[in-house]
Structure formats: C-alpha cells, structure tokens
C-alpha cells in the first residue's frame, strides 16, 4: 500500500489557481505520483462553492 496524505480544498484550489500556488502546494501535487490522496467528506461541497464564486467573479471563461 502506498503512503496516504490528506488534501483539503485550499490545496486543491492552489493547483487550479496558479496565483495561489506555493512551494508546499506544488510539493503536494508532486506527491500524487507516488502516494494516495484522501479528501474530507465535505471536500466536494467546498470545491463546488469555490468554483461557483470564482465563476461569478472571473466570468464564464473559467469553467468553459
């Protein structure tokens, strides 16, 4: 079994929104090559909320 780590919404969104990226978020993305990521049960709700707000603020071009 591979190593496991937890990814929260802020880490995942830093992968999408590059202006939020840090060396730590980049390292966590690289870990996916060899480790398994787990997310909290409410992760999908948080992600949906962040994307909906970003779409409102930044326009439809973000998701489409």
């Amino acid at each position: 079994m591979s190593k496991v780590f937890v990814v929260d919404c802020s880490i995942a969104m830093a992968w999408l929104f590059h202006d939020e990226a840090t060396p730590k978020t980049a390292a966590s993305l690289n870990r996916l090559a060899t480790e398994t990521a787990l997310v909290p049960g409410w992760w999908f709700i948080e992600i949906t909320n962040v994307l909906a707000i970003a779409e409102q603020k930044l326009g439809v071009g973000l998701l489409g």
Side-chain angles (χ1 to χ4, degrees):
M1 187 169 133
S2 68
K3 291 182 181 179
V4 176
F5 67 104
V6 176
V7 174
D8 70 4
C9 178
S10 63
I11 298 293
M13 290 298 92
W15 299 340
L16 178 64
F17 300 110
H18 298 286
D19 60 330
E20 298 293 326
T22 66
K24 187 174 182 176
T25 62
S28 66
L29 182 59
N30 290 334
R31 289 175 69 181
L32 287 174
T34 59
E35 299 178 35
T36 301
L38 299 176
V39 296
W42 57 86
W43 186 84
F44 297 101
I45 295 169
E46 289 181 315
I47 294 292
T48 301
N49 185 53
V50 170
L51 293 177
I53 291 169
E55 185 176 31
Q56 289 174 355
K57 289 184 176 182
L58 301 176
V60 176
L62 174 71
L63 300 178

